[in-house]
Amino acid sequence: MMKRSCLFWVSVFLTFSIGCLLLSIAILMLLPAEWLPQFGANADDEGDAPLPVVITTDPVIAVSPVFTPAAESVGTPLPTPTELPAPTPIPAPTVTQAQVNFVADIMKPLAAEAARRRRAAQDANPAGFATRIDAPFNANRLNFLVTGYGVTYEPPYPPTYKGHVTLYSLDLNTLQISTVTLNHDIRAPEVERYMMRDGKKVGPSKLDRAHLAGGFPLARTTVEDATGLNVDFQLVFQDLVVKNIVDEVFGGLLVDVPYVFDAAPIVFADKQYPALRYAQGKQKLNGLQTLQFIKAINAQLGKTKYDPRKEPAVRKQIVVTAVLDNIKRETTNPVFWARLANFLRRTLDNKEVEYDFDAASLLFQTINQYVARGAQGEKIPLTITRSLFVVDQAIGDGGVQWVGTSANPIMVRDIKNGVYPELSISVPTGKADPYAPDLAANYWTSVRQLVKKRISP
């Protein structure tokens, strides 16, 4: 359902955090103990706005799309793409060749493992690899696929377990990070075909089911088909880790909320938590408050004019900015690094985050590369400068559309024949054929074109 699907950002904070840890702070997260005394602690900042307060709200009705997707505000006109704010590009920082070389050195272990994996995949299926992977597009990139799962609660529907998928791509030439978020409601024929191998009869399957159905291999194939980008490394986690990283590592996250926001109730760890009102301004949120800000439905749906600034994709970027700002403030705080090291060691030991690579070994090798350079103090200006949200253009960046609005004869026919028991699923635009032998070439075309256009330098 469009309303439900576009509002699920259960674990997006950790998605960004883990991505950043691997890309921008992995080199520091396990600093040798003897280094810590060299750093001083920064003063704590609690913000200038009051903390969120519990409020009473009327039940929110999440509207399902029929043939016209619902706007975020019930009863208001559907916003056209031109009414939504155009993405504001973040200026790319100027980087020196010394900085590029420095990052190349410390990323050598990850880059070497990525190159080995790419060669193995190409050797195993040269024709399929050549179709699925856009080789020039992937040159000098490291790509991390992060999948988060948790419970979303959007009355009157019961709590539902869902996932979301984000690909982080680090350009080693420019030191820029691009993010590609694939809406979890996108139809993924790869999942259907995988399940049919076991003799199961399945209908249209959504992209967030890829890891649940076929683990890391199926998730990798599906996302590579969809984007043309190599999936070099993968991580999967639950939303409990989101709360823990905010509370245990950051000791609360300082977030600058640009507007008053009423967040509907959420369900976390089998318990319902009440609606919260977030004041405008900087405020230090605990883990649960951060989760609710990211994933809750706007409690004012249908009561006020539709406000695209309060879409989940925008709230995600607010938290992304908060993460970057908090990391910058904590750079010289030895307590922060000690907490981070302890947290990551524990998540590895307890398998709270799943990896498809030897995380401990690779990250320690990366740290050793940093130590070997003598901790020169070289600044590493890794910055997220491009963010893409692949979802129906009425609420995101396009590339797909709700199946009920598609003029594609294949989709029209399938709807008429009852292939889609519900229309809460999106498909690529244009002549996408979910039954084509080569899905990368004949189904995901619009998504691949959008990703390359928006992510290329």
Side-chain angles (χ1 to χ4, degrees):
M1 301 169 184
M2 191 206 70
K3 180 69 254 145
R4 293 196 289 168
S5 63
C6 73
L7 286 173
F8 178 60
W9 294 96
V10 175
S11 305
V12 72
F13 168 75
L14 187 65
T15 298
F16 176 79
S17 299
I18 292 294
C20 281
L21 292 177
L22 283 172
L23 297 175
S24 63
I25 63 175
I27 59 170
L28 294 172
M29 70 182 180
L30 300 175
L31 284 177
E34 60 268 22
W35 287 18
L36 294 180
Q38 301 178 24
F39 300 97
N42 290 334
D44 196 15
D45 186 356
E46 299 294 332
D48 53 13
L51 293 175
V53 296
V54 175
I55 58 174
T56 301
T57 62
D58 296 328
V60 175
I61 304 298
V63 177
S64 306
V66 183
F67 287 93
T68 302
E72 184 174 70
S73 296
V74 180
T76 61
L78 175 70
T80 64
T82 56
E83 293 176 60
L84 295 176
T88 303
I90 300 174
T94 300
V95 297
T96 65
Q97 189 59 47
Q99 290 170 325
V100 172
N101 294 341
F102 184 63
V103 172
D105 274 353
I106 62 178
M107 290 291 181
K108 275 182 179 178
L110 290 171
E113 175 62 13
R116 184 194 68 78
R117 291 180 171 210
R118 294 183 186 189
R119 286 193 301 270
Q122 185 173 23
D123 291 343
N125 183 3
F129 186 86
T131 302
R132 189 171 69 253
I133 301 301
D134 184 334
F137 188 25
N138 283 273
N140 297 305
R141 287 184 180 273
L142 285 178
N143 304 316
F144 299 80
L145 177 62
V146 186
T147 305
Y149 289 97
V151 174
T152 185
Y153 178 51
E154 300 175 9
Y157 307 104
T160 306
Y161 186 72
K162 293 184 179 180
H164 70 90
V165 179
T166 299
L167 188 67
Y168 292 86
S169 182
L170 169 63
D171 187 328
L172 292 171
N173 286 334
T174 64
L175 307 188
Q176 297 177 36
I177 301 171
S178 301
T179 69
V180 179
T181 299
L182 299 164
N183 181 257
H184 74 277
D185 274 333
I186 301 172
R187 182 179 180 181
E190 292 87 347
V191 178
E192 301 158 23
R193 297 178 188 186
Y194 179 88
M195 297 177 70
M196 287 177 184
R197 294 175 189 170
D198 296 331
K200 298 178 182 177
K201 185 178 180 179
V202 298
S205 299
K206 298 180 181 181
L207 186 139
D208 72 332
R209 304 290 101 177
H211 183 268
L212 297 177
F216 288 123
L218 181 58
R220 177 183 296 106
T221 298
T222 303
V223 173
E224 288 181 345
D225 279 352
T227 65
L229 288 166
N230 270 103
V231 173
D232 296 314
F233 305 103
Q234 293 188 70
L235 310 91
V236 174
F237 58 88
Q238 305 296 324
D239 61 359
L240 172 64
V241 189
V242 180
K243 176 182 180 300
N244 290 345
I245 198 171
V246 173
D247 291 334
E248 299 175 22
V249 177
F250 285 99
L253 186 67
L254 188 65
V255 179
D256 191 358
V257 181
Y259 40 64
V260 175
F261 177 68
D262 290 346
I266 63 168
V267 172
F268 175 75
D270 298 324
K271 180 179 178 181
Q272 181 173 327
Y273 291 85
L276 291 181
R277 173 165 293 159
Y278 295 77
Q280 183 176 1
K282 292 184 179 180
Q283 51 210 282
K284 196 164 191 177
L285 306 181
N286 62 31
L288 190 60
Q289 292 166 343
T290 302
L291 266 180
Q292 190 158 356
F293 181 74
I294 294 170
K295 75 176 191 175
I297 297 175
N298 182 354
Q300 297 303 321
L301 295 182
K303 305 170 189 175
T304 61
K305 184 179 179 181
Y306 171 77
D307 187 348
R309 299 176 308 151
K310 296 182 179 180
E311 280 283 355
V314 180
R315 282 185 268 145
K316 166 192 173 182
Q317 294 305 322
I318 293 170
V319 174
V320 165
T321 300
V323 172
L324 287 175
D325 290 344
N326 277 258
I327 289 175
K328 290 175 183 177
R329 277 192 297 272
E330 298 283 9
T331 299
T332 58
N333 182 355
V335 177
F336 170 75
W337 295 115
R339 288 197 305 259
L340 179 57
N342 290 334
F343 178 83
L344 291 175
R345 287 193 183 103
R346 191 179 70 253
T347 59
L348 283 171
D349 292 342
N350 297 340
K351 302 185 185 304
E352 295 174 358
V353 180
E354 297 179 56
Y355 303 86
D356 76 336
F357 61 98
D358 186 349
S361 175
L362 279 177
L363 293 180
F364 271 113
Q365 290 181 54
T366 303
I367 301 308
N368 289 338
Q369 289 291 331
Y370 182 73
V371 173
R373 291 291 299 264
Q376 300 174 8
E378 186 79 57
K379 292 184 178 180
I380 307 175
L382 299 181
T383 305
I384 290 185
T385 55
R386 294 177 173 87
S387 295
L388 175 63
F389 182 28
V390 182
V391 70
D392 190 280
Q393 194 174 12
I395 55 173
D397 293 317
V400 297
Q401 63 186 144
W402 301 108
V403 68
T405 67
S406 176
N408 184 335
I410 297 174
M411 309 306 170
V412 173
R413 179 199 66 202
D414 281 353
I415 291 174
K416 182 178 180 180
N417 292 338
V419 172
Y420 292 91
E422 59 172 354
L423 299 180
S424 58
I425 194 166
S426 58
V427 294
T429 59
K431 299 179 180 180
D433 182 0
Y435 309 107
D438 187 342
L439 294 171
N442 299 302
Y443 176 72
W444 292 105
T445 308
S446 61
V447 178
R448 291 169 67 94
Q449 290 174 346
L450 177 65
V451 170
K452 188 168 186 178
K453 177 181 178 181
R454 288 283 298 274
I455 302 305
S456 296

